[in-house]
Amino acid sequence: MLKPNKYLLILLATITAYSLFEYYRPKPIDWRPTYENDDKIPFGTQALFDLLPDVMKPSGINEMRLPIYNFLTETRLPTRSNYVLICQEFNADKNDLKQLLAYVRRGNSVFISAYDLPDSLGKVLGFKAEVKDPNKADSTLRQYFVNPALQKATGYNFAYDDGRNFLRISRPGQVTVLGRNARKEPIFIRIQYGEGQFFIHNLPLAFTNYYVLGQKTSDYAFKALSYLPAQPTYWDEYQKRGRFDEDQQSIFRYVRSQPALNWAYYLVVFGLIFYAFFAGKRTQRIIPVVEPPQNTSLDFVKTIGRMYFQQGDHDNLARKKIQYFLADIRERYGLNTTVLDKEFTEALARKSGASLDETAETVRILRDAQRSITLSEFDLINLNQAMEHFKQTF
């Protein structure tokens, strides 16, 4: 019985221990500011989204995964409602802004908390989101509510915010400041627009899990949102995640969502499977090409002939060609080629179908060549032409 290799056992034990260590060790904290309502990481907003329905009873809160334009034009909305957008950067084109302004003008409320806000919205409402120079960053900067009922003596500190962001107000007459930082700069304002109102907040980090669940900052988000009227509230997730989750972002998503296209998809798939199955059985296999056997004897003769001709041995080559020609006569016509006389000539002419004169001329050339002591290159050529002509013609 073979003993197990101790080095192999050590290697397996090391790999197993490392795998268990990697699996059970604490995962590093993800500090990305996603603001997504299903993220439990510090800068997600799951805690606020889960707690808001209890705070805003009985109106409740609904998640939206549509662009602003589509949401406001395609959704049946109640007479009055709130629209909450919390994100790193608020993106809206002219069509979105047009519908958003019309939505507020009709008496609804919009709450936007973002670091980056479009200038096009600020020009209409009379504000601009500003950012101070990096050398003026201050992570200890405190934030305060203006309303005495919401004030906290020590204020609120959001340490992961660098304190550079603030709002510059260009038309103070129509803007109400709801929150300032320790430098007295606005970071939270209300703007009356038509029959509704905009709430613009410039510190979205305050609404994330880290601060909503933090002991010293847990009430800030709810105080800020308490300005919203008690009416149905829509929470925007499109700005952060788009229309669909990762598992829904497929090229076949639309096809699968339409019954007719879905059936067509299945018919095509199963049709291809059946075609491959039945066509594969009925198709004849490819018949390999069989090359005809080559006449190697003829190639050998040609090679030997070229060798004799190149060596200048014309006499030897001529006599061998005579021998092969006579052998062919014997095989084809059954004639005795020992004596090339008149009787042989007449028999060859009769059996080959050649004229007597042509046959006699060919036999004469053969007979003269046999009688010659030495055959030259010229004799070889004449002899070869006569024999080849006779074989090809008759």
Side-chain angles (χ1 to χ4, degrees):
M1 182 177 179
L2 294 175
K3 291 184 177 181
N5 190 314
K6 64 177 183 179
Y7 298 106
L8 180 59
L9 293 177
I10 293 173
L11 178 61
L12 291 175
T14 304
I15 294 174
T16 303
Y18 178 76
S19 301
L20 291 173
F21 172 77
E22 287 293 323
Y23 182 79
Y24 286 106
R25 76 169 180 171
K27 300 295 186 293
I29 298 175
D30 185 356
W31 291 96
R32 291 178 301 117
T34 64
Y35 304 100
E36 295 179 7
N37 67 351
D38 62 352
D39 268 352
K40 298 179 181 180
I41 61 178
F43 296 147
T45 56
Q46 185 186 46
L48 178 63
F49 185 77
D50 289 346
L51 292 171
L52 270 183
D54 295 331
V55 176
M56 304 189 72
K57 285 181 178 179
S59 55
I61 185 167
N62 303 286
E63 176 187 322
M64 296 305 301
R65 295 290 291 274
L66 293 171
I68 296 173
Y69 178 86
N70 297 75
F71 165 60
L72 296 178
T73 57
E74 299 174 4
T75 308
R76 283 189 69 180
L77 299 173
T79 306
R80 294 285 188 272
S81 60
N82 303 320
Y83 193 10
V84 177
L85 303 100
I86 299 174
C87 49
Q88 179 76 17
E89 179 180 0
F90 176 63
N91 294 306
D93 60 23
K94 62 179 182 180
N95 293 320
D96 293 330
L97 292 180
K98 181 179 178 181
Q99 293 298 325
L100 194 64
L101 292 170
Y103 172 73
V104 175
R105 194 183 300 116
R106 294 193 299 268
N108 300 291
S109 299
V110 170
F111 186 101
I112 303 173
S113 182
Y115 285 114
D116 298 319
L117 295 158
D119 291 340
S120 54
L121 178 63
K123 288 179 181 179
V124 175
L125 301 181
F127 76 92
K128 184 176 182 181
E130 298 278 14
V131 179
K132 289 186 175 295
D133 295 334
N135 57 3
K136 294 186 178 180
D138 183 4
S139 61
T140 65
L141 188 67
R142 293 193 170 271
Q143 312 290 337
Y144 299 90
F145 285 105
V146 173
N147 188 341
L150 303 179
Q151 281 184 357
K152 183 178 179 181
T154 57
Y156 299 89
N157 174 237
F158 303 99
Y160 285 95
D161 176 73
D162 60 10
R164 297 167 56 206
N165 48 290
F166 68 100
L167 299 172
R168 188 181 301 278
I169 299 173
S170 57
R171 293 197 291 273
Q174 64 185 50
V175 176
T176 302
V177 177
L178 303 178
R180 298 179 183 271
N181 58 28
R183 294 192 296 256
K184 304 300 181 181
E185 296 165 335
I187 55 97
F188 184 24
I189 60 176
R190 176 173 57 195
I191 304 166
Q192 194 71 30
Y193 190 79
E195 297 182 13
Q197 53 193 345
F198 277 95
F199 295 93
I200 306 298
H201 188 271
N202 196 217
L203 208 163
L205 215 61
F207 299 92
T208 58
N209 300 327
Y210 187 84
Y211 294 111
V212 169
L213 300 177
Q215 184 177 359
K216 297 180 179 180
T217 55
S218 59
D219 60 337
Y220 181 91
F222 298 103
K223 287 180 178 179
L225 291 170
S226 68
Y227 283 99
L228 290 172
Q231 54 195 20
T233 300
Y234 296 93
W235 176 286
D236 178 85
E237 279 292 301
Y238 176 81
Q239 293 280 329
K240 296 158 283 189
R241 300 161 64 187
R243 284 197 179 202
F244 308 102
D245 293 325
E246 291 184 2
D247 58 344
Q248 296 175 308
Q249 296 176 0
S250 167
I251 59 175
F252 294 110
R253 177 186 55 79
Y254 180 76
V255 172
R256 302 299 298 277
S257 66
Q258 304 297 315
L261 294 177
N262 195 35
W263 275 108
Y265 170 74
Y266 282 119
L267 285 174
V268 170
V269 171
F270 286 113
L272 290 174
I273 293 174
F274 287 138
Y275 175 79
F277 181 77
F278 290 106
K281 282 190 171 185
R282 295 178 63 87
T283 302
Q284 184 179 5
R285 293 182 180 179
I286 298 175
I287 300 175
V289 178
V290 179
E291 297 290 342
Q294 296 182 349
N295 189 349
T296 55
S297 299
L298 183 60
D299 292 338
F300 175 75
V301 169
K302 290 180 179 179
T303 302
I304 295 299
R306 283 194 298 268
M307 182 184 69
Y308 279 116
F309 186 79
Q310 290 170 359
Q311 290 179 351
D313 194 358
H314 306 114
D315 182 74
N316 192 7
L317 179 58
R319 298 190 187 281
K320 283 184 167 50
K321 289 185 73 66
I322 293 172
Q323 291 177 7
Y324 286 121
F325 180 75
L326 295 178
D328 185 50
I329 294 296
R330 289 194 296 272
E331 183 178 349
R332 290 173 63 185
Y333 304 119
L335 298 176
N336 186 356
T337 59
T338 304
V339 179
L340 304 181
D341 53 8
K342 181 178 180 182
E343 183 180 352
F344 170 78
T345 302
E346 292 175 351
L348 180 59
R350 186 171 59 254
K351 289 190 175 184
S352 65
S355 65
L356 184 60
D357 293 340
E358 288 182 330
T359 306
E361 179 62 21
T362 303
V363 172
R364 183 191 65 76
I365 294 173
L366 292 172
R367 191 168 52 245
D368 292 345
Q370 286 180 328
R371 293 174 180 173
S372 298
I373 299 175
T374 302
L375 295 172
S376 64
E377 181 180 351
F378 178 76
D379 297 331
L380 174 62
I381 293 173
N382 288 336
L383 178 64
N384 184 69
Q385 289 177 347
M387 291 187 294
E388 290 296 325
H389 175 72
F390 188 85
K391 288 194 294 183
Q392 293 176 3
T393 305
F394 308 107

